[in-house]
Amino acid sequence: MSTHNAQGVTAPQGFTAAAAQAGIKPSGKPDMALVVNTGPRFDAAAVFTRNRVKASPVKLSQQAVADGSLRAVLYNSGNANACNGAQGDADARESQAYASAALGVDAGEVAVCSTGLIGELLEMDKVKGGVDALVPALGTDNGQAAADAILTTDLVRKEAVYSGEGFTVGAMGKGVGMMAPSLATMLVCITTDAQATPEALEVALRKATKVTFDTVDIDGSTSTNDTVIVMANGASGTTPRQEELDAAILHVCDSLARQMQADAEGVTKRVNITVTGTADDEQALNAARTLGRDNLFKCAMFGSDPNWGRTLAAVGMADAEMDPDKISVSFNGEAVCIDSTGTPGAREVDLSGADIDVLVDLGTGGPGKATVHTTDLSHDYVEINSAYSS
Amino acid sequence: MSTHNAQGVTAPQGFTAAAAQAGIKPSGKPDMALVVNTGPRFDAAAVFTRNRVKASPVKLSQQAVADGSLRAVLYNSGNANACNGAQGDADARESQAYASAALGVDAGEVAVCSTGLIGELLEMDKVKGGVDALVPALGTDNGQAAADAILTTDLVRKEAVYSGEGFTVGAMGKGVGMMAPSLATMLVCITTDAQATPEALEVALRKATKVTFDTVDIDGSTSTNDTVIVMANGASGTTPRQEELDAAILHVCDSLARQMQADAEGVTKRVNITVTGTADDEQALNAARTLGRDNLFKCAMFGSDPNWGRTLAAVGMADAEMDPDKISVSFNGEAVCIDSTGTPGAREVDLSGADIDVLVDLGTGGPGKATVHTTDLSHDYVEINSAYSS
């Protein structure tokens, strides 16, 4: 078993990809990508945003993958095609129809994913021009180019590869803000030449997303467009056991989730919050998420300030049982608060590095435990997000 | 009925106040205050933070007011006396005992309120020195000085006065951050020379806080120290009807809540969010609060960006029934989104002023309605809160 980060989605056998500059992004950067499964099998599974306000491509792709089969995914960045009403739905369908015709497959075999600005209509002439460029450019070397083309405010490309016993899993993803996924997040495409049923893929994907993307919480905001798709073609001839498949999917999801955390909008600190001492894991997750979303705590992390007082104030509002007099907190392994009281020297703990591990025990003695991956709240976050659409 | 903003807590008959520089704040600014009810009656009621992590003075003041009677409230700023364990509880009790002895009243007749840094022990010699200075300085002209002495990062003093039929209500408050009150918020002291039972005061206070302080949500963070106390002495000889009392208490709470919103940490915009079209008011409040806490939305407000897309993405995660295809949004009365789709010219709506009114209808046709008062998320918020304790 080895891991490298090159050629993400085209690392497994039997997948081709392409990227194009369709002119959707004003910057002129690549903004469309196509990932095609060339078979022999076309098993697929996906998870989508739980936001009630779903982008048109999410609704369409949910239908496309419902039968457990996909042959291709069409991506565009720069425009989310969200909140565009009936015209948005029609544009998503037209994109799907145009791409499937160009590929010579049924429309229902093509998923579409969009990311970018909400509330702007897709310019369909540009989308069609993009598809016209993508299809003849499909190749087994273009995973990296596709990974570049789906980025928005991401600063770095995000890919992952897992080499299993006789099979390979590849993946690409994007996501730097509006990240508080539930069930799924952002845009992620996972490919594998393993032979696996849609049911096996779905099991592996849900297990993996629960402990990876679902525990990344950058700003408490959940996107309208979150989509994670996995496609398997059996080209390797290997049928991994479910546990092998689970481990492989988990590996690439975990890698992409950490890449997203590291590249989050305006991040200067990666903050990993673990909560223990609750009745169950769900309560621990609630408390970790409450802390990870607390702006005062996040500003303190930006300031390298070991502010355990704000930590207690934040978890005190969490939907979790706790003993308010028995809470303990450590930063990077140094105890700063024991029995809800500061330790000597707690304010001198050095948090100047880029990584901060926070451990909070809520003092009930229960076995609950969970970790959430978040970031600090920085000037750059405000700058990026106050200027994004203007 | 007239309103002015002078002499807050000493505007009603029979209340004295004082302020002192006790040296708790490193800046040397006034940091202690005392408000005394000189009778003839000593009726009182209070509401406190719902945070499970409660500061020592909160726990002590809850006991003091439990019998419906208070003669004085001792305030200090610069130190919250929160998360200091048994020593914090002992220090709060010693402050109460020292002040009550100096005033010649029972300890259980004095409430204590602290605000400032969490997790630092009170320096009791300074507190006692402060009390020694406060008691001889008590006077009927010192409401404004007391209001100054309870401020922390507040930029402006916050007072309110209501002149009713034969009685007066005065108030002072502080609060600029860690503001997402539930039941009560921040430090507020309300005084009145009306004659009113503790039960009548409690009814009026709970009604008022529900629609004033409870709807201010600056950063989703709820303090460990929130305390709102009302004291009534009957010195005017007037016993207002419950509705008159309700209206008077509501008036000063509403005034202070708006002053807090306007002075919130780093605020450049006052954002008032009203949600309609839900099954009931509680769902509308949930949705308004979810939007008011969404960092992407708040950054857009900072950027004067009429970003209705982020508005829909945020309310889509709210715990409220909605029709995802029938959501409408207006900014400052201009419709920017109808049936979940942008209107022509939506992006050109001018939000450059300091006040932004946001109206969101969730499209179910239900009668639910609620308003939340929040602010933008600015560079200054990050700056203030990353440097606060260092």
Side-chain angles (χ1 to χ4, degrees):
Chain A
M1 187 178 88
S2 71
T3 303
H4 63 104
N5 270 336
Q7 293 302 94
V9 292
T10 50
Q13 301 174 54
F15 287 92
T16 58
Q21 291 169 250
I24 299 168
K25 285 180 181 166
S27 66
K29 288 186 179 171
D31 49 18
M32 288 191 72
L34 186 60
V35 179
V36 175
N37 179 358
T38 65
R41 295 176 56 88
F42 306 98
D43 303 285
V47 285
F48 299 92
T49 184
R50 282 203 305 202
N51 200 312
R52 252 84 57 96
V53 178
K54 293 183 206 308
S56 296
V58 167
K59 294 183 278 183
L60 188 64
S61 293
Q62 282 178 314
Q63 296 170 21
V65 78
D67 64 356
S69 175
L70 282 180
R71 286 175 184 252
V73 187
L74 178 69
Y75 289 90
N76 78 269
S77 56
N79 186 320
N81 192 18
C83 307
N84 286 329
Q87 188 60 49
D89 293 345
D91 290 345
R93 275 196 306 274
E94 191 175 352
S95 303
Q96 180 192 46
Y98 195 83
S100 59
L103 291 167
V105 303
D106 285 348
E109 292 294 299
V110 178
V112 293
C113 295
S114 299
T115 178
L117 206 58
I118 297 174
E120 291 281 320
L121 287 174
L122 277 176
E123 295 176 86
M124 289 308 296
D125 54 334
K126 292 182 177 172
V127 171
K128 291 177 181 176
V131 172
D132 292 343
L134 287 167
V135 174
L138 285 166
T140 56
D141 295 332
N142 298 334
Q144 186 170 307
D148 280 331
I150 62 173
L151 305 181
T152 54
T153 52
D154 304 62
L155 298 179
V156 300
R157 180 192 320 130
K158 297 170 183 70
E159 294 182 291
V161 174
Y162 177 93
S163 300
E165 295 279 348
F167 72 100
T168 301
V169 178
M172 67 178 186
K174 65 81 53 178
V176 285
M178 204 177 268
M179 296 215 322
S182 42
L183 271 192
T185 181
M186 325 116 200
L187 300 187
V188 169
C189 183
I190 303 167
T191 56
T192 180
D193 50 20
Q195 185 162 308
T197 63
E199 294 73 25
L201 293 171
E202 171 113 12
V203 165
L205 190 58
R206 291 204 176 264
K207 274 190 193 172
T209 56
K210 189 178 175 195
V211 294
T212 57
F213 303 126
D214 280 6
T215 67
V216 176
D217 193 331
I218 301 305
D219 53 15
S221 302
T222 299
S223 159
T224 51
N225 289 55
D226 297 342
T227 303
V228 181
I229 290 174
V230 56
M231 296 187 286
N233 62 14
S236 68
T238 300
T239 307
R241 287 175 296 114
Q242 183 73 44
E243 307 85 76
E244 287 181 277
L245 187 66
D246 289 353
I249 302 288
L250 174 63
H251 179 91
V252 298
C253 288
D254 186 57
S255 173
L256 288 180
R258 288 176 183 277
Q259 293 176 57
M260 288 171 181
Q261 181 195 17
D263 191 30
E265 283 171 346
V267 64
T268 78
K269 308 274 193 183
R270 293 178 294 265
V271 182
N272 298 310
I273 300 166
T274 299
V275 170
T276 59
T278 56
D280 55 39
D281 292 353
E282 190 182 345
Q283 290 189 18
L285 184 63
N286 285 345
R289 209 179 273 287
T290 299
L291 181 57
R293 290 182 180 180
D294 189 86
N295 281 352
L296 289 171
F297 169 78
K298 290 162 84 82
C299 285
M301 296 298 97
F302 175 55
S304 302
D305 172 11
N307 198 318
W308 58 268
R310 288 185 191 168
T311 306
L312 261 63
V315 298
M317 291 304 291
D319 185 14
E321 285 171 64
M322 64 191 73
D323 182 337
D325 296 321
K326 296 286 179 196
I327 301 171
S328 64
V329 180
S330 73
F331 288 118
N332 288 342
E334 297 200 53
V336 291
C337 172
I338 295 173
D339 290 345
S340 302
T341 308
T343 63
R347 295 203 187 276
E348 278 67 56
V349 172
D350 181 10
L351 300 183
S352 59
D355 288 281
I356 300 176
D357 286 328
V358 184
L359 178 62
V360 181
D361 187 281
L362 293 182
T364 72
K369 182 177 181 179
T371 298
V372 160
H373 307 278
T374 189
T375 60
D376 56 348
L377 176 56
S378 70
H379 286 304
D380 282 356
Y381 179 92
V382 174
E383 187 63 27
I384 291 164
N385 288 304
S386 59
Y388 181 46
S389 83
S390 52
Chain B
M1 186 177 85
S2 72
T3 303
H4 62 104
N5 270 337
Q7 291 302 94
V9 291
T10 49
Q13 300 175 54
F15 287 93
T16 58
Q21 292 168 251
I24 299 168
K25 285 181 181 166
S27 66
K29 287 185 180 173
D31 48 20
M32 288 191 71
L34 185 61
V35 179
V36 175
N37 180 358
T38 65
R41 294 177 57 88
F42 305 98
D43 302 285
V47 287
F48 299 93
T49 183
R50 283 204 305 201
N51 200 313
R52 250 84 56 95
V53 179
K54 294 184 205 308
S56 297
V58 167
K59 293 183 279 185
L60 188 65
S61 294
Q62 283 179 314
Q63 296 170 19
V65 78
D67 64 355
S69 175
L70 282 180
R71 286 176 184 251
V73 187
L74 178 69
Y75 290 90
N76 78 271
S77 56
N79 186 321
N81 192 18
C83 307
N84 286 328
Q87 188 60 49
D89 294 345
D91 290 345
R93 274 196 307 274
E94 191 176 352
S95 304
Q96 180 192 46
Y98 195 84
S100 58
L103 291 167
V105 302
D106 285 348
E109 292 294 299
V110 178
V112 293
C113 296
S114 299
T115 179
L117 207 57
I118 297 174
E120 292 281 320
L121 287 174
L122 277 176
E123 295 176 86
M124 290 308 297
D125 55 333
K126 292 182 178 172
V127 172
K128 291 178 181 176
V131 171
D132 291 343
L134 287 167
V135 174
L138 285 166
T140 56
D141 296 332
N142 298 334
Q144 185 169 308
D148 280 331
I150 62 173
L151 305 181
T152 55
T153 52
D154 303 62
L155 298 178
V156 301
R157 182 194 318 130
K158 298 171 181 70
E159 294 182 291
V161 174
Y162 177 93
S163 299
E165 294 279 347
F167 71 102
T168 301
V169 178
M172 67 178 185
K174 65 81 54 178
V176 285
M178 203 176 269
M179 296 212 327
S182 43
L183 270 192
T185 182
M186 324 115 201
L187 299 187
V188 170
C189 183
I190 304 168
T191 55
T192 180
D193 50 21
Q195 185 163 309
T197 63
E199 295 72 27
L201 294 171
E202 171 112 13
V203 165
L205 191 57
R206 293 206 174 262
K207 274 192 194 171
T209 55
K210 189 178 177 196
V211 295
T212 57
F213 302 125
D214 281 5
T215 68
V216 175
D217 193 331
I218 301 307
D219 52 17
S221 304
T222 298
S223 160
T224 51
N225 290 56
D226 297 343
T227 302
V228 181
I229 290 174
V230 55
M231 297 188 285
N233 62 16
S236 68
T238 300
T239 306
R241 287 174 296 112
Q242 184 72 45
E243 308 86 76
E244 287 182 277
L245 187 65
D246 290 352
I249 301 290
L250 174 62
H251 179 90
V252 297
C253 288
D254 186 57
S255 173
L256 288 181
R258 288 176 183 277
Q259 292 175 58
M260 288 171 181
Q261 180 194 19
D263 191 30
E265 283 171 345
V267 63
T268 78
K269 308 275 192 183
R270 293 178 294 265
V271 182
N272 297 310
I273 300 166
T274 299
V275 170
T276 59
T278 55
D280 54 39
D281 291 354
E282 190 182 346
Q283 290 188 18
L285 184 63
N286 285 344
R289 209 178 274 287
T290 299
L291 180 58
R293 290 182 180 180
D294 188 86
N295 281 352
L296 290 170
F297 169 78
K298 289 162 84 83
C299 284
M301 295 299 95
F302 175 55
S304 302
D305 172 11
N307 198 318
W308 58 268
R310 289 185 189 168
T311 305
L312 262 62
V315 298
M317 290 304 292
D319 185 15
E321 284 170 65
M322 63 190 73
D323 183 338
D325 297 321
K326 295 286 179 195
I327 301 171
S328 64
V329 180
S330 72
F331 289 117
N332 287 343
E334 296 200 54
V336 291
C337 172
I338 295 171
D339 290 345
S340 303
T341 308
T343 62
R347 294 202 189 276
E348 278 69 56
V349 172
D350 180 10
L351 299 184
S352 60
D355 288 282
I356 301 177
D357 286 327
V358 184
L359 178 61
V360 181
D361 188 281
L362 293 182
T364 71
K369 181 176 181 179
T371 298
V372 160
H373 307 280
T374 188
T375 61
D376 56 347
L377 176 56
S378 69
H379 286 303
D380 282 355
Y381 179 91
V382 174
E383 186 63 25
I384 291 164
N385 288 303
S386 60
Y388 181 44
S389 84
S390 52

